[in-house]
């Protein structure tokens, strides 16, 4: 249900698996696994994961552990589920006990940072938390206007830069101070997202992190990297770089309602060992859901 309308491309790519496995017999194994490998690769699982999955299926088939096409398909789905849950467990937010908890939302422009922040505010607020938004994307003037709209929509207060080109770190620091004074539960910090190849962005994010840690010990509690689900395997180098510089605690994968390619989700979780905490499945306030690995696996396989 969560992914209704999403992953149609991935499902089409993987549809061939059903056909292959329907007519599978032992003597046909190598040909079937070659085609299966191809189907996983075009679905953006990436070469490493694909090889891992296919070789483990091959071993189990020749060891006589998998005796029918149905058993092979179940084993395939289970190995994807394993990869997602072993490396990427713990999808709930870790907010600590000091107030306010601070969540920084980071990612490149256009990925869905501001929208995800708004949707997350709505979700946390409906769970009973008081929220303050911090407009830390001081580079793009429109970003704080956009966040302002989300603040109104969700009934949250917002702290924005008082002057143009203010430092993001000082806006966030000011917001967290205000949140502390007011006894707010969670401060949600938007950040700038010029291209990740621009080193100064990374420096700015590190400065933001330090600035909020000065106000509340242990903050930021979460640094969530927003990844655009439609970018496929291109999200991998992005995730690596953000993680190396700022240390990511979880992913928000957006635009999974569209033509996202599902395999990359498995690749990024497996390589970085960082959990997907939320998925974006539309542009409305309710379109951010906690990541459910089983629902995801059911959605990508036909
Ligand atoms: P930012 O530059 O990273 O802050 O990205 P925005 O939040 O401005 O989002 C960029 C565009 O993607 C906007 O048009 C959003 O409405 C859209 N968007 C964000 N998340 C989703 C999602 O989960 N599904 C869909 N379909 N669109 C999304």
């Amino acid at each position: 249900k969560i992914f209704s309308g999403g992953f149609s491309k991935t499902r089409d790519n993987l549809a061939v698996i059903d056909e292959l496995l329907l007519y599978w017999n032992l003597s046909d194994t190598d040909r079937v696994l070659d085609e299966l490998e191809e189907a996983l690769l075009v679905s953006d699982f990436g070469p490493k994961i694909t090889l891992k999955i296919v070789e483990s299926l091959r071993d189990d088939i020749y060891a006589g552990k998998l005796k029918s096409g149905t058993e092979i398909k179940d084993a395939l789905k289970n190995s994807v589920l394993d990869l997602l849950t072993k490396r990427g467990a713990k999808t709930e937010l870790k907010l600590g006990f000091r107030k306010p908890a601070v969540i920084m939302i980071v990612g490149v422009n256009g990925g869905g940072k501001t929208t995800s922040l708004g949707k997350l505010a709505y979700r946390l607020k409906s769970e009973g938390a008081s929220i303050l938004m911090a407009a830390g994307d001081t580079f793009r003037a429109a970003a704080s206007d956009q966040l302002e709209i989300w603040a109104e929509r969700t009934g949250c207060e917002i702290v924005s830069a008082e002057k143009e080109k203010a430092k993001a770190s000082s806006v966030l620091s000011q917001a967290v101070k205000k949140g502390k004074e007011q006894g707010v539960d969670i401060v949600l910090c938007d950040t700038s997202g010029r291209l990740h190849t621009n080193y100064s962005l990374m420096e700015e994010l590190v400065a933001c992190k330090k600035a909020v840690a000065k106000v509340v010990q242990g903050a930021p509690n979460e640094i969530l990297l927003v990844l655009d689900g439609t970018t496929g395997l291109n999200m991998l180098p992005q995730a690596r770089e953000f993680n190396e510089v700022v240390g990511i605690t979880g992913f928000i994968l957006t635009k999974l309602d569209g033509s996202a390619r599902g395999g990359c989700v498995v690749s990024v979780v497996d390589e970085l060992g960082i959990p997907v905490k939320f998925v974006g499945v539309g542009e409305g306030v309710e379109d951010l859901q906690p990541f459910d690995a089983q629902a995801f696996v059911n959605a990508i396989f036909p």
Side-chain angles (χ1 to χ4, degrees):
K1 231 186 312 126
I2 294 175
F3 297 113
S4 61
F7 297 123
S8 50
K9 220 191 225 167
T10 310
R11 237 184 347 259
D12 285 351
N13 290 336
L14 295 176
V16 65
I17 292 174
D18 265 359
E19 238 165 88
L20 283 168
L21 294 179
L22 186 64
Y23 300 108
W24 169 85
N25 62 60
L26 194 56
S27 61
D28 219 13
T29 297
D30 289 332
R31 186 189 62 85
V32 166
L33 289 181
D34 281 351
E35 290 196 39
L36 177 71
E37 188 176 321
E38 193 54 40
L40 292 174
L41 285 174
V42 294
S43 308
D44 269 3
F45 276 81
K48 197 179 126 220
I49 301 266
T50 299
L51 200 69
K52 208 192 274 193
I53 292 175
V54 170
E55 288 320 307
S56 122
L57 288 176
R58 194 187 311 274
D59 289 348
D60 287 350
I61 291 170
Y62 286 122
K65 288 185 203 156
L66 301 173
K67 297 185 204 70
S68 67
T70 317
E71 283 182 11
I72 297 172
K73 186 172 172 191
D74 286 345
L76 168 65
K77 287 172 77 170
N78 278 331
S79 61
V80 174
L81 188 64
D82 271 358
L83 286 168
L84 285 171
T85 48
K86 233 186 263 155
R87 299 281 285 145
K90 304 258 181 346
T91 57
E92 70 278 5
L93 292 172
K94 281 198 220 113
L95 298 180
F97 57 89
R98 287 189 186 86
K99 268 194 191 178
V102 179
I103 302 177
M104 269 174 68
I105 311 283
V106 303
V108 301
N109 273 346
K113 238 180 307 103
T114 307
T115 310
S116 298
L117 192 154
K119 292 189 281 189
L120 186 58
Y122 176 83
R123 166 168 281 276
L124 295 171
K125 206 178 169 205
S126 59
E127 290 170 0
S130 53
I131 307 291
L132 179 65
M133 294 180 176
D137 186 353
T138 51
F139 188 75
R140 204 165 52 99
S144 95
D145 297 345
Q146 198 191 337
L147 195 64
E148 201 91 48
I149 295 170
W150 276 101
E152 256 169 56
R153 196 178 283 165
T154 54
C156 295
E157 252 199 273
I158 179 171
V159 171
S160 305
E162 273 154 14
K163 53 182 194 310
E164 237 179 282
K165 302 279 178 230
K167 269 182 154 177
S169 56
S170 62
V171 176
L172 298 197
S173 163
Q174 205 187 318
V176 177
K177 275 180 195 152
K178 184 170 179 177
K180 198 172 174 181
E181 279 159 23
Q182 298 185 343
V184 162
D185 295 317
I186 303 168
V187 179
L188 291 178
C189 305
D190 199 7
T191 60
S192 178
R194 286 155 297 169
L195 275 182
H196 63 284
T197 44
N198 179 347
Y199 187 70
S200 69
L201 166 63
M202 294 297 167
E203 281 178 324
E204 178 179 287
L205 291 176
V206 170
C208 286
K209 211 178 144 175
K210 283 187 187 148
V212 302
K214 269 193 192 151
V215 186
V216 182
Q217 200 188 335
N221 305 77
E222 293 272 2
I223 301 179
L224 303 178
L225 174 61
V226 172
L227 294 170
D228 180 335
T230 61
T231 59
L233 281 173
N234 288 332
M235 67 171 67
L236 251 172
Q238 240 175 65
R240 258 182 228 136
E241 184 169 3
F242 273 94
N243 187 44
E244 271 163 29
V245 183
V246 285
I248 301 302
T249 60
F251 299 123
I252 298 180
L253 277 163
T254 61
K255 309 183 192 178
L256 296 193
D257 49 313
S259 54
R261 286 186 286 180
C264 54
V265 177
V266 187
S267 282
V268 80
V269 167
D270 181 68
E271 184 185 314
L272 293 155
I274 294 169
V276 178
K277 300 220 170 182
F278 294 98
V279 292
V281 291
E283 302 181 76
V285 283
E286 294 188 356
D287 294 331
L288 185 82
Q289 304 284 338
F291 180 63
D292 176 340
Q294 182 69 64
F296 171 82
V297 171
N298 291 342
I300 62 168
F301 287 102

